[in-house]
Amino acid sequence: MNRSLSLEFSRVTEAAAIAAHAWIGRGDKNAADDAAVKAMRYMLNRIHMDGEIIIGEGEIDEAPMLYIGEKVGSGIGEQITIAVDPIDGTRMTALGQSGALAVLAAGGRNTFIKAPDMYMEKLVVNGEAKGMIDLNLPIEQNLRRVASRKGKLMSELVVMVLAKPRHDEVIKQIQALGAKVLAIPDGDVAASVQVCLPDSEADVLYGIGGAPEGVITAAAVRALGGDMQARLIPRNQVKGDTPENIQLAKSEIARCHEMGVKVNEILHLEDIARDDNLVFMATGVTHGDLLQGIQIKGSFATTETLMIRGQSHTIRRIQSMHYLDGKDPDLYKSIGL
């Protein structure tokens, strides 16, 4: 993927983040997501490429835009597959909490795994601990292996975990080992990137989150030289055996079969992001540890975007000022601004 095309994707996440800004702290996560989706789709369709959404807002019958399989771009040029999460942290945006991002990963025709929108268990470390993780082992053994490889005492290890009820027990286990837990409300993409950055204090990310975020995470982890294992988990195994969850799980398993992936089977980093022909892009929506959020003063919006290219392993932080009075009328009309 050439550099100019990579840069085009920064405009996509910037537009999504700016669109979501109006909904920060307003308590409506669906409205925030809808604005970001419309902006992202509009900008993707302006790029000269033969693009396809392989991880998006869901299936065609449940997502009118950015659904899995949707064609985007001009239809002319390089074949690109795209995994999107218009807002990683919709609830955080709605509540005005820190760390929400607009993110996407783009790669070649066969770069990314195709998977339905379902739960995914994830374990992420940086390059220093590459090869030391195994989801078949208990979390304690994984942490001891990572600590040993990094030359750290268990009390020096920092583990990021999604603060969800399903993780209450594993958080207690990690703390009982003496390790430090950073519990995050949402946003495991940002947390995974932080784990893999050279100057990060965090050593490990563990948690069960979304598969779309997992594929985007894998792009960043691969580009940063880190390591990751994951597995797709049916809904009933995460949320309980209610009739509704069992029915949804059957649908998820059927979709996995159609896409050629298996549930409850370990996926290595190379299974999810298969080559380095990729770019990871994230723009801050709200202020966070990874990126500054949108700042609007008068007629200008300031954005901060993280761009990581797989082929060069280059990390760029892009600060941009957008003149809103000269904004694209078709884009902002489509999202109601």
Side-chain angles (χ1 to χ4, degrees):
M1 186 185 305
N2 62 57
R3 289 183 179 85
S4 61
L5 186 56
S6 296
L7 192 59
E8 287 287 335
F9 290 117
S10 69
R11 301 175 65 227
V12 176
T13 55
E14 287 167 357
I18 292 171
H21 176 270
W23 297 99
I24 294 174
R26 299 189 183 276
D28 192 338
K29 67 178 185 179
N30 292 328
D33 189 57
D34 183 61
V37 167
K38 288 177 178 177
M40 186 170 276
R41 181 176 185 261
Y42 178 86
M43 295 303 292
L44 284 169
N45 280 325
R46 296 188 63 175
I47 299 175
H48 287 299
M49 64 174 177
D50 181 6
E52 180 185 356
I53 302 297
I54 50 95
I55 292 286
E57 293 292 281
E59 307 297 327
I60 187 171
D61 58 348
E62 61 191 41
M65 296 182 185
L66 299 183
Y67 56 84
I68 296 171
E70 181 177 3
K71 297 293 185 178
V72 292
S74 66
I76 301 171
E78 192 173 348
Q79 287 187 319
I80 301 292
T81 55
I82 305 162
V84 301
D85 193 359
I87 304 181
D88 180 36
T90 53
R91 189 172 67 89
M92 293 150 67
T93 302
L95 296 177
Q97 296 176 337
S98 64
L101 306 173
V103 298
L104 68 76
R109 185 174 61 179
N110 297 310
T111 296
F112 301 119
I113 191 173
K114 292 186 178 182
D117 186 354
M118 59 188 294
Y119 282 107
M120 178 184 275
E121 184 180 18
K122 308 156 196 172
L123 186 59
V124 176
V125 292
N126 68 10
E128 193 178 352
K130 194 174 181 70
M132 300 306 292
I133 55 174
D134 186 348
L135 273 177
N136 282 323
L137 298 176
I139 190 67
E140 177 179 352
Q141 286 183 251
N142 276 286
L143 297 185
R144 292 195 183 281
R145 285 158 59 106
V146 171
S148 175
R149 171 60 65 87
K150 300 186 82 167
K152 289 189 173 186
L153 299 173
M154 188 61 69
S155 59
E156 297 174 313
L157 210 65
V158 179
V159 185
M160 302 186 80
V161 184
L162 284 173
K164 304 290 185 182
R166 58 182 173 269
H167 295 141
D168 287 347
E169 287 305 313
V170 76
I171 288 174
K172 290 178 183 177
Q173 290 176 37
I174 295 169
Q175 291 171 331
L177 293 170
K180 181 179 180 179
V181 173
L182 298 181
I184 53 175
D186 287 294
D188 56 348
V189 174
S192 298
V193 172
Q194 284 178 257
V195 165
C196 292
L197 287 174
D199 57 352
S200 175
E201 69 163 328
D203 300 289
V204 180
L205 174 125
Y206 173 78
I208 299 172
E213 294 87 348
V215 175
I216 296 170
T217 291
V221 172
R222 177 162 185 138
L224 289 167
D227 199 8
M228 173 180 178
Q229 285 193 7
R231 56 185 157 204
L232 297 166
I233 304 179
R235 185 178 182 86
N236 66 313
Q237 293 181 19
V238 179
K239 304 289 284 186
D241 284 325
T242 66
E244 180 184 6
N245 288 340
I246 291 172
Q247 188 60 39
L248 286 169
K250 288 179 179 178
S251 175
E252 290 169 346
I253 293 169
R255 289 292 289 129
C256 284
H257 180 73
E258 290 175 15
M259 294 180 174
V261 292
K262 296 180 180 179
V263 299
N264 294 316
E265 183 174 279
I266 289 183
L267 297 167
H268 296 84
L269 178 61
E270 295 76 14
D271 298 319
I272 308 170
R274 301 182 182 115
D275 58 54
D276 291 329
N277 182 29
L278 58 84
V279 63
F280 167 86
M281 202 71 62
T283 300
V285 176
T286 58
H287 297 304
D289 293 333
L290 183 64
L291 290 165
Q292 290 293 303
I294 301 296
Q295 299 178 70
I296 294 182
K297 292 184 179 180
S299 299
F300 290 91
T302 302
T303 60
E304 184 176 29
T305 298
L306 182 69
M307 180 172 76
I308 309 170
R309 294 188 70 236
Q311 290 171 321
S312 62
H313 303 289
T314 305
I315 304 169
R316 288 187 173 88
R317 291 183 181 271
I318 306 169
Q319 289 191 326
S320 306
M321 294 189 71
H322 308 261
Y323 183 50
L324 298 181
D325 284 352
K327 61 192 179 185
D328 187 319
D330 291 330
L331 166 61
Y332 289 91
K333 181 180 178 181
S334 72
I335 58 176
L337 292 182

